[in-house]
Amino acid sequence: ESLLLAVTVFLTAILSAVVGMGGGLTLLVVMLQWIDPLIAIPLHGVIQLVSNGTRVSVQRRHVDWKIAAWFALFLLPAGWLGLALAEVAPRALLRGAIGVVALSVIWLPKLRRSPALGPELATAGAPSRLRFLFLGGAAGALNTSVGAAGPFIAPFFLDLGLDRRGVIGTKAACQTLGHLTKILIFGLAGFVFWDYLPALGLMACAAVLGTWTGSWLLDRVSERWFKRLYVGVLTLLGIRLVLSGLL
């Protein structure tokens, strides 16, 4: 099982490095085939911390750190709220809601620039403090309740004037902070990460190798094809989440 998960980590890390998402959710789905959710979610956080952290290292010159800073402000309090929410809310319902939001925002671009989400959003290409302040709060809650927030936050990184490397690097920086917060919360709640160190070490190595491979492929993808892949993968993930919620 550890070897199979390591191969899955490698392949999903390639996917995330090329299109910026999809890998984390796919990995979590595979992990849940063998591992209890309350164990899988914190372990998934460690692997995704390594995967996203490696992407930040590769794309560090293209990261917009102001966006990441605003994204981080609500992560910790929202993460505790998400942990409490996980005990009472059906996870399938939450996943379905994420899918609806992802599909709506990706196919209705006006939602990404709605003045109701902050005055700066009325103009495309202008990062909004409010957008990423509240987006970080939502991601913090989803990270500890559902386990993955990538499809939810992904559409909001479009229309910011970032190229493909900027989108990948900035989103990875935000998710690195999110997974670091998730690990901290589960650790304070009593989860013993040390007991799973051998498996985590193997999967962390696979995450680094997959991220470097995917980053190499990203350099060979044009901006036009990157956006097509980004929208396509996000649409498929959104549909899958909605179906899982309905079923």
Side-chain angles (χ1 to χ4, degrees), residues 3-140:
L3 183 60
L4 179 60
L5 285 174
V7 173
T8 305
V9 168
F10 175 74
L11 295 175
T12 55
I14 292 176
L15 175 62
S16 291
V18 175
V19 296
M21 68 191 139
L25 182 62
T26 304
L27 175 61
L28 183 61
V29 170
V30 175
M31 292 179 72
L32 290 173
Q33 304 304 309
W34 297 288
I35 307 173
D36 181 86
L38 290 179
I39 297 175
I41 289 176
L43 295 183
H44 175 267
V46 174
I47 300 163
Q48 289 304 105
L49 175 66
V50 174
S51 181
N52 283 281
T54 306
R55 289 207 298 279
V56 173
S57 176
V58 173
Q59 308 294 352
R60 59 189 178 277
R61 290 181 294 177
H62 306 281
V63 174
D64 189 325
W65 292 105
K66 291 182 180 179
I67 289 177
W70 281 102
F71 185 88
L73 289 180
F74 280 175
L75 282 173
L76 190 58
W80 282 110
L81 178 63
L83 195 58
L85 183 65
E87 299 177 358
V88 295
R91 285 189 175 84
L93 178 62
L94 293 173
R95 291 189 182 115
I98 293 173
V100 170
V101 171
L103 290 172
S104 299
V105 176
I106 198 68
W107 289 108
L108 298 173
K110 289 184 179 180
L111 291 180
R112 298 196 298 269
R113 300 190 293 270
S114 170
L117 296 178
E120 304 99 316
L121 294 186
T123 305
S128 168
R129 295 176 179 178
L130 283 178
R131 176 197 293 202
F132 289 98
L133 182 68
F134 292 109
L135 194 62

Side-chain angles (χ1 to χ4, degrees), residues 151-166:
F152 177 81
I153 70 173
F156 296 93
F157 286 83
L158 295 175
D159 300 333
L160 296 178
L162 300 173
D163 64 7
R164 64 189 187 281
R165 296 180 183 87

